[in-house]
Amino acid sequence: MPILNRDNVVIGVAQLINKKTGTHEFTSKDINVFRNYLTFCGLGLSNAQLFELSIQEYKKNQRTNAQSSPSPSTYLSSNDNKTCDNGHLQSTNMSSNDELQNTKENLSLVNRLKLLLNLARNLFREQNDLERLVHKITTESQGLMQCARCCVYILDRSTTSKKTEDIHFSKGFDMVYGEEFKVTTNDFLENSRYAKIAFHVATTMETVNLNDITNDQALAHLLISNGDDTFQLRNILCVPIMDSDGHVIGVCQVMNKLNGRIFTEDDVAIIEAFSVFCGLGIHNTRQYENVLRLTAKQNVAFEVLSYHVIASEEDVQRVTSVSVPEANQLRLYAWEFNDMVLTDDETVLSSVRMFIELDLPKKLHIPHDVICRWVLSVKKNYRPVIYHNWRHAFNVAQTMFSMLTTGGMNVCMSDFERIGLLIACLSHDLDHRGTNNAFQAKVDAPLAKLYTTSTLEHHHFDQCIMILQTEGNNILQALSPDDYKLVVRYIEVAILSTDLALYFRKRGEFQKLVETNEEHWSDPTKKELLRGMMMTACDVAAICKPWEIQQVVAKLVASEFFQQGDIERNQLHVEPIPMMDRAKKDELPKMQVGFIDSICLPLYKMLSDVDPGLTPLYEGCKQNRDNWEKLQEEHDKLKSLWSESASQETLRKIIESTKPELPANNLVSAQTDSATSLKVTKTNNNNNENSSSPSSLPLKEPKTVNREQQTATTPTPKSPTIDPVLIATIHANKGAIDTIRGQITELRHDVDQLRLQINTRKRSTISTHPPIIIPNPSQPPPSNLPPIPSPPSDANNTRRVSKSNANNTNSAAFSHHHHHHHHVGQPDATGRSSICNII
């Protein structure tokens, strides 16, 4: 491949032979790399040749000068022969003078190259201020180019368009030899002839070298002098200054070569090389100024932000003036803690009480007003999103408090670790936007550019430190610098641990420690792992709460996820994952079971193995899993119920066979509808009783016949079409209906027992007494009938329920089957029980 100089003239050839790697063939990539490398080789060879030529010329001139300086005898001898050798001598002297001149020029060029390198070093040292840098450029330019005047023009940095009318100079610098360096005025930038030439160079991006301005017709009109310009312009050399991207960022001018000479091609090459260094220097200086400007903006923004995010003094005074309630009064030690019964101010006071209960303000010398202000400021920095708001952070902190106290983890934690964990819990979701890390990457959010991993978690930590560093909010102000760094480290690791991606990465390592029965947790690395797992456990601890609380929290989480899914589908035009797809909200129980199995149960099982005091978390999680699994089964049955291929017989069997055993609390909302259903059942039973003849009562123990047997033995007419509204109503009250169905079955068993007793009495008295008739509850008994004999006194068969118990709707009323139905049926007469009504 040829080696070219700056004029694209071949000055050498380079060869590569026998490639050793790969396919042993040179690829197009190899050719490009080799060509780029030879570009630098060409510059190096050109400079080396120029330097070698200069040395050779210098040595040659030295020998010539020695030979051309004859001794006196030689001079006399040559003088005698002056006439015959005069012509030859004159030609020799002329040749020597030309060579001497060339040598001086070559030496001057070498010196200028050295000056150029020295200038490059100086330019990269002066990058703090643009004016100082340009002053250095103009001073060095005059020495380098041997000129009387130098000007530098800087283009407006806001100009991004390449159109001629959009190019403007923002600053101009002018230095005349022997005069003071000055910054030009706006009028000079718009009207001077030098600025017009500079504008022409900036637009064309070409070098202009005018050695005789009077004879240049193309640009003569630009060089017409104004009345106030007394500088006599003889020649001018003007080059564009470009940045590393090839964009013009300025123009450099040198005018009036000294000693009446002109700007040569060597001058052009030198100043073009010089402009490259100038471009890098100006670009770097601009970047430095941008950094300073952005830093100033950041400081101003921080001041404004601090004012708005820090709690107002009115709020601080209101909270500090109230005594902090006791922990037992707030139930802070309980695993079943429910924040929904507290006001916002009470959550703030409860947070302060956690610190007080751990004796942290006293040990770490935290003033009461400072800790109140800090908690209020943290609360203020949570956005009003559906789930990841202040209430969630407060619940996470309360769970951590319970783990430390009730769970017994306090004994293996230092005061610094305790306060670090509480600060981290309250701050772990600061400024959460209601969307996850993946969403930040999808929308190319600034946070995703700032943090490539654990995006939101890093932001939460930064917000936490910002609040701590704000005046009046630093609850760590009494710590030494080393202790402060240690606590901040605890906070950072704890907040980052709430990223579930880190949890999955570290769970295996933690499990190994648990399986080896780690007891002391004195090793810092192991202790850090334990604190991280505790943070994750607290973050998802709503899964361990009582079922009523768990259902509410699950709905809040799902609503926030669905909101993100709606944004992804409607604005980003991408399909959300099932967990965030509102169209799949019916699969929430199934997803909850999967979440518990994959994340929660393994974590709480390991923590319960670490300390048995944490077992309630594990047990609560298992209980909620069972509840979600039952709801999942109900959902599967519902899908079968609404399947288009399901027959009416299948639908009937599904309804009759469903007997869930959900907690009693689920039945409260369906009591009204269940009462109506029970009344229908009572009516049917009464009709069946009336249709039987009193004399046809069997003498043997009657058998209970269920609906399936009736269907199998009794021909039924063609089933009518099932009303979809009725199906929906049945399913909406499924739990209550199935529970009542079970109660009715038990009541039927009691009725069968009563009938058996009555028939037994009848067998013993049939010869002396008339038949016993069971009256219809809907009709008054005939006056000529004898009273119904009382059955034997048996606690299992003669249970009577008072009216007060029948109206009791507490959960305790569901403990026995006789109590289930009393709130839906009233006795027909005083002294008659509901059992008799069913009969």
Side-chain angles (χ1 to χ4, degrees), residues 13 150 188 210 235 240 242 303 417 430-431 619 654 682 709 741 792 801 808:
V13 175
C150 180
F188 183 87
L210 300 178
N235 46 38
M242 300 183 182
E303 291 176 0
E417 289 173 309
L430 277 170
D431 196 46
E619 295 297 333
I654 292 175
K682 288 168 55 181
Q709 294 172 337
R741 182 183 294 111
V801 182
N808 188 5

Side-chain angles (χ1 to χ4, degrees), residues 214-252:
T214 58
N215 294 330
D216 192 288
Q217 300 299 325
L219 302 175
H221 65 285
L222 298 177
L223 299 172
I224 298 175
S225 175
N226 295 330
D228 57 347
D229 186 3
T230 59
F231 183 78
Q232 295 181 358
L233 181 62
R234 296 191 300 271
N235 46 38
I236 182 172
L237 177 58
C238 187
V239 295
I241 300 175
M242 300 183 182
D243 61 10
S244 57
D245 296 326
H247 300 143
V248 178
I249 60 175
V251 175
C252 181

Side-chain angles (χ1 to χ4, degrees), residues 450-694:
L450 192 59
Y451 312 108
T452 56
T453 59
S454 302
T455 301
L456 286 173
E457 287 74 20
H458 278 104
H459 177 60
H460 303 326
F461 170 70
D462 288 346
Q463 292 294 108
C464 173
I465 298 303
M466 182 200 70
I467 296 175
L468 282 174
Q469 292 180 345
T470 306
E471 184 178 359
N473 289 269
N474 190 359
I475 59 178
L476 305 177
Q477 59 188 1
L479 301 183
S480 66
D482 291 338
D483 292 341
Y484 181 87
K485 291 180 181 178
L486 181 61
V487 174
V488 168
R489 171 64 181 170
Y490 290 155
I491 297 172
E492 180 180 16
V493 174
I495 292 179
L496 294 182
S497 297
T498 58
D499 184 1
L500 289 180
L502 295 180
Y503 161 73
F504 284 115
R505 199 178 306 163
K506 296 181 178 180
R507 185 171 68 181
E509 183 179 354
F510 183 69
Q511 186 173 2
K512 291 179 181 179
L513 294 177
V514 174
E515 291 174 351
T516 56
N517 297 321
E518 180 69 29
E519 296 180 359
H520 303 292
W521 300 98
S522 56
D523 181 79
T525 303
K526 298 178 181 179
K527 193 74 164 296
E528 181 177 295
L529 190 59
L530 173 63
R531 293 195 303 269
M533 292 296 155
M534 291 173 62
M535 284 294 301
T536 303
C538 294
D539 195 18
V540 298
I543 205 70
C544 308
K545 295 287 185 179
W547 178 236
E548 296 82 359
I549 301 176
Q550 160 61 187
Q551 292 179 90
V552 175
V553 175
K555 184 176 181 180
L556 293 175
V557 176
S559 299
E560 188 173 283
F561 284 171
F562 293 154
Q563 190 177 68
Q564 175 178 327
D566 293 341
I567 297 175
E568 292 178 354
R569 174 176 285 119
N570 299 329
Q571 299 183 19
L572 303 182
H573 305 292
V574 297
E575 282 300 311
I577 60 177
M579 182 175 61
M580 299 182 178
D581 191 351
R582 192 180 298 275
K584 298 180 180 179
K585 61 182 180 181
D586 292 338
E587 298 181 10
L588 177 62
K590 179 180 179 181
M591 290 185 283
Q592 285 291 98
V593 171
F595 175 74
I596 294 174
D597 289 342
S598 62
I599 296 176
C600 303
L601 276 181
L603 174 61
Y604 292 121
K605 181 63 173 66
M606 290 186 292
L607 288 175
S608 64
D609 292 339
V610 171
D611 195 311
L614 304 179
T615 303
L617 292 173
Y618 177 61
E619 295 297 333
C621 183
K622 284 199 304 181
Q623 181 62 43
N624 284 329
R625 187 201 180 281
D626 294 340
N627 293 335
W628 285 117
E629 190 172 34
K630 292 173 183 176
L631 287 181
Q632 178 186 345
E633 295 172 355
E634 288 298 309
H635 176 260
D636 294 340
K637 293 176 183 177
L638 177 63
K639 289 172 64 177
S640 300
L641 181 67
W642 288 104
S643 174
E644 296 181 358
S645 61
S647 63
Q648 294 183 3
E649 181 68 17
T650 303
L651 297 178
R652 184 181 60 79
K653 290 182 178 181
I654 292 175
I655 295 174
E656 293 184 352
S657 63
T658 304
K659 294 182 179 182
E661 297 179 358
L662 292 177
N665 292 334
N666 286 341
L667 305 176
V668 175
S669 62
Q671 286 177 356
T672 304
D673 295 333
S674 64
T676 305
S677 175
L678 182 57
K679 290 179 181 179
V680 173
T681 306
K682 288 168 55 181
T683 304
N684 292 337
N685 289 336
N686 290 334
N687 292 337
N688 293 334
E689 293 290 341
N690 292 333
S691 63
S692 303
S693 171

Side-chain angles (χ1 to χ4, degrees), residues 139-204:
T139 302
E140 298 288 352
S141 296
Q142 287 183 336
L144 179 67
M145 303 304 299
Q146 294 295 300
C147 60
R149 187 173 186 175
C150 180
C151 294
V152 175
Y153 301 90
I154 307 298
L155 263 67
D156 188 356
R157 76 183 69 201
S158 62
T159 302
T160 57
S161 174
K162 294 184 178 181
K163 296 181 180 179
T164 302
E165 60 271 16
D166 294 333
I167 296 178
H168 302 284
F169 292 124
S170 61
K171 281 187 178 182
F173 304 92
D174 187 10
M175 187 171 186
V176 180
Y177 185 75
E179 296 183 9
E180 185 179 356
F181 172 79
K182 60 182 179 182
V183 179
T184 59
T185 61
N186 291 335
D187 182 68
F188 183 87
L189 293 176
E190 295 176 359
N191 302 318
S192 74
R193 51 179 174 171
Y194 317 114
K196 292 178 182 178
I197 290 292
F199 179 80
H200 171 78
V201 171
T203 54
T204 61

Side-chain angles (χ1 to χ4, degrees), residues 38 42 45 60-61 201 255 343 351 354 583 654 687 692 696 804:
L38 292 184
L45 286 177
K60 181 179 179 181
N61 285 312
V201 171
M255 292 169 272
T343 64
S351 301
M354 296 179 201
I654 292 175
N687 292 337
S692 303
S696 64
S804 60

